[in-house]
Amino acid sequence: MVSATSYLASLMVFSVMVISVVSGKMGMTVAKISHQNDLAIDLVTCDTAKGCNPYSGDTDCNTKLPVLCKQTDKSPRPAYAMTCTDHAMPKEFYCGWTMGYIATTPKVAASSFSTIRDVDAYCEDALGPGWVTAEFHDSRYIPGMNGATYANAQWTQWGASHGNSYPSGGWRYYSYGNVRNDTRFWMDINDQPTTYVDAYCEDAFGPGWVTAEFHDSRYIPGMNGATYANAQWTQWGATHGNNYPSGGWSYYSYGNVRNDTRFWMDINDQPTTCWSR
């Protein structure tokens, strides 16, 4: 019988070998849609009406496009107006702030890279230390932010009173920069498509099962015992756009797994997994 470890290892070798040679593999691309000179900020979007597809990709990975890169320095949000509208999430989710800068690289085929670490290295080679690949969920927001409300010093003050954990946004965001507007860009998305390791979980347990990740837990500052448990947990989420701060290192979950062995786990911000991202 082939062990789970051997099986996973064989999958990883296969994925690394084919990623740069298989024509037709699709990746997600985004575009700049506006620039505000007074604030020196760009608005970048994944607009499905213009072709962006974060679920199955929209552009052949052999296509040469710039990579959108970011450098985060915890810059507070400038006082831009809220132009987004509510959908499944509150409008602020769709007009979030990256807390830093964006820039682009020379054009390159996404199939040139085996892992996100390679893309990060390409950003750093092109733009300097601290530059990494921009990601779909990079933006942060505060419920109710608009114009001067929760901008500049208010942004920082809110963060200080919430453990510097801002809810994560998606789909489009503002950032300092003035990138080109004549092409689309490669962008990372860290929860799509399903990875080979996720597929192994689904094969073992059924639809909806994916790999556990180091940062999976969520918390509310001050939770303890009945405080922020059950209905209070749900109520807090409803007033915060259902965006709970992310935890790490240890967490609770329903289940009763075995305790006679260690387990493989994903970690999405460190190069210490045995599989490509």
Side-chain angles (χ1 to χ4, degrees), residues 24-252:
K25 183 175 175 63
M26 305 293 281
M28 185 190 71
T29 63
V30 297
K32 169 182 172 176
I33 59 172
S34 68
H35 177 77
Q36 294 186 35
N37 284 322
D38 56 334
L39 298 176
I41 59 174
D42 279 347
L43 177 59
V44 172
T45 183
C46 172
D47 187 344
T48 56
K50 296 182 179 179
C52 180
N53 188 332
Y55 302 109
S56 57
D58 52 74
T59 303
D60 190 295
C61 292
N62 291 325
T63 305
K64 290 187 176 182
L65 293 172
V67 176
L68 186 67
C69 306
K70 67 183 178 188
Q71 186 179 67
T72 303
D73 64 357
K74 300 183 180 180
S75 295
R77 185 184 75 87
Y80 58 82
M82 193 57 47
T83 59
C84 299
T85 56
D86 295 335
H87 293 283
M89 298 296 290
K91 58 183 178 294
E92 298 89 351
F93 175 94
Y94 305 100
C95 274
W97 172 243
T98 65
M99 301 177 69
Y101 298 78
I102 55 172
T104 59
T105 69
K107 291 184 177 182
V108 63
S111 57
S112 303
F113 309 109
S114 294
T115 73
I116 188 60
R117 304 298 167 190
D118 298 330
V119 194
D120 288 345
Y122 185 69
C123 285
E124 184 166 318
D125 287 344
L127 301 167
W131 286 91
V132 295
T133 319
E135 199 275 326
F136 185 86
H137 307 92
D138 277 338
S139 67
R140 299 294 182 265
Y141 73 93
I142 298 173
M145 70 183 193
N146 188 18
T149 302
Y150 292 129
N152 301 310
Q154 289 185 26
W155 174 274
T156 305
Q157 291 163 359
W158 188 95
S161 64
H162 290 77
N164 288 315
S165 288
Y166 300 84
S168 298
W171 292 93
R172 67 181 194 169
Y173 55 61
Y174 288 94
S175 184
Y176 284 124
N178 189 6
V179 299
R180 57 194 295 181
N181 60 3
D182 62 339
T183 183
R184 300 184 67 81
F185 317 115
W186 294 118
M187 174 185 272
D188 184 34
I189 182 166
N190 64 19
D191 59 359
Q192 301 288 340
T194 302
T195 65
Y196 290 108
V197 185
D198 287 343
Y200 186 68
C201 287
E202 184 165 317
D203 287 345
F205 300 113
W209 285 90
V210 295
T211 320
E213 199 276 325
F214 186 86
H215 307 92
D216 276 340
S217 66
R218 299 295 183 266
Y219 72 93
I220 299 172
M223 70 183 193
N224 187 21
T227 302
Y228 293 129
N230 302 311
Q232 289 185 26
W233 174 274
T234 306
Q235 291 163 358
W236 188 96
T239 61
H240 291 77
N242 288 315
N243 276 277
Y244 300 83
S246 298
W249 292 93
S250 65
Y251 57 65
Y252 289 94

